[in-house]
Amino acid sequence: MVSLNILRTVGSFRTLPLTGRLVTNQPAAFNAVTCPARCLLVGLAKDTWTSKKTLRGTRSENELNRYFWSVTTVRSYSTSNVQMNCWKCKEPIKELPTFFCSSCKVVQPPHEGVSFFSIMDCEDTFALDTHKLQKRYLLLQRSLHPDNFSQKSAEEQEYSEHQSALVNKAYETLQKPLSRGLYLLELKGMRIDDGTDSGVDAEFLFELMEINEALERAQTPEEADKISRDTKWKLKGLTAEIDGALRAGELQTAKALLAQMKYFSNIEEKVKEKLSGYM
């Protein structure tokens, strides 16, 4: 009989929202227009954005998530031949992402098709430099935080809020190996629908059951700490395997390994709770 803890582990895995899930058939957060180059653009200039009232209505977490994924995962068009201008002074925007106009210095709205890796100025690889990621995050939030724009125009307040939230989302996604891996799969065209548990076999589930039972039996901090060390070792190994699979373009292998990473991440959280109970 499968242990109740295994069911809890599997259940927590299935119910946790995947940052890498591709959002489809959702109401658009912004109006869209078709440009002469036949490219679908969302929010590239002031006149393509909806009214202030509509923007205010998109600030719930669900709506922001839908918008972020429409901004960073749509790949059915190209903006290479589209001239983008500052919404205020109309000067050309020479590179993406651009957070402030180089001419008039006003904050810009998020631009379509810019990945989280570009936003955070890091390589689109699984084994990225998390210290550099954190420095970039702190730098962007110091300049984009909405409190800095409380005396600015309504447009600047709205754009800073969306840019700041987008930076938060990018950082949260790329900071942890699991969500980073799922996001990389999305960028490589793999749809994630019901989770990442495909490829998990009975032998692996039995291993999880044994670990959970050992954690239940742990009576001392030393016993729980040993399980914690073993779990971290497993996660470290999975990180290396996932990196290798993604570099080789073996997406199905990477997906199955990410499923295992999710289960071990859940165990790691349970060990932390167990250890905190001894304090």
Side-chain angles (χ1 to χ4, degrees), residues 28-146:
F30 298 94
N31 288 335
V33 296
T34 304
C35 68
R38 303 185 65 81
C39 300
L40 182 63
L41 305 178
V42 179
L44 293 182
K46 180 178 178 181
D47 57 356
T48 68
W49 287 66
T50 56
S51 66
K52 177 180 177 181
K53 180 178 180 181
T54 304
L55 279 168
R56 295 291 184 189
T58 65
R59 290 178 181 177
S60 69
E61 182 178 353
N62 288 339
E63 289 296 327
L64 284 173
N65 283 339
R66 292 168 189 159
Y67 170 62
F68 294 153
W69 285 102
S70 73
V71 166
T72 59
T73 63
V74 176
R75 296 180 300 275
S76 59
Y77 64 91
S78 170
T79 59
S80 59
N81 296 321
V82 179
Q83 178 66 62
M84 287 173 283
N85 295 17
C86 169
W87 64 271
K88 187 173 184 180
C89 73
K90 308 305 180 185
E91 282 294 310
I93 293 175
K94 298 179 180 179
E95 61 181 22
L96 296 179
T98 292
F99 299 100
F100 295 91
C101 174
S102 60
S103 179
C104 67
K105 311 303 181 185
V106 301
V107 65
Q108 298 297 301
H111 293 90
E112 180 88 15
V114 180
S115 76
F116 288 163
F117 290 98
S118 295
I119 290 170
M120 304 309 294
D121 191 27
C122 55
E123 294 183 16
D124 55 345
T125 61
F126 185 70
L128 56 76
D129 186 341
T130 54
H131 293 293
K132 179 182 177 181
L133 178 70
Q134 185 178 37
K135 288 181 180 179
R136 172 72 168 176
Y137 169 72
L138 294 174
L139 176 65
L140 289 176
Q141 284 298 15
R142 278 197 294 268
S143 60
L144 292 169
H145 196 282

Side-chain angles (χ1 to χ4, degrees), residues 134-194:
Q134 185 178 37
K135 288 181 180 179
R136 172 72 168 176
Y137 169 72
L138 294 174
L139 176 65
L140 289 176
Q141 284 298 15
R142 278 197 294 268
S143 60
L144 292 169
H145 196 282
D147 287 351
N148 298 333
F149 300 85
S150 59
Q151 303 302 315
K152 301 292 185 178
S153 67
E155 290 91 343
E156 290 173 273
Q157 291 179 36
E158 288 167 352
Y159 297 160
S160 69
E161 181 172 337
H162 283 286
Q163 288 280 26
S164 178
L166 183 58
V167 168
N168 279 335
K169 187 71 174 179
Y171 178 69
E172 290 171 2
T173 300
L174 300 184
Q175 182 186 30
K176 296 183 178 180
L178 178 66
S179 53
R180 186 193 315 146
L182 292 173
Y183 182 64
L184 273 168
L185 288 184
E186 288 286 355
L187 293 182
K188 293 178 182 294
M190 175 170 286
R191 180 183 292 273
I192 308 292
D193 291 320
D194 299 324

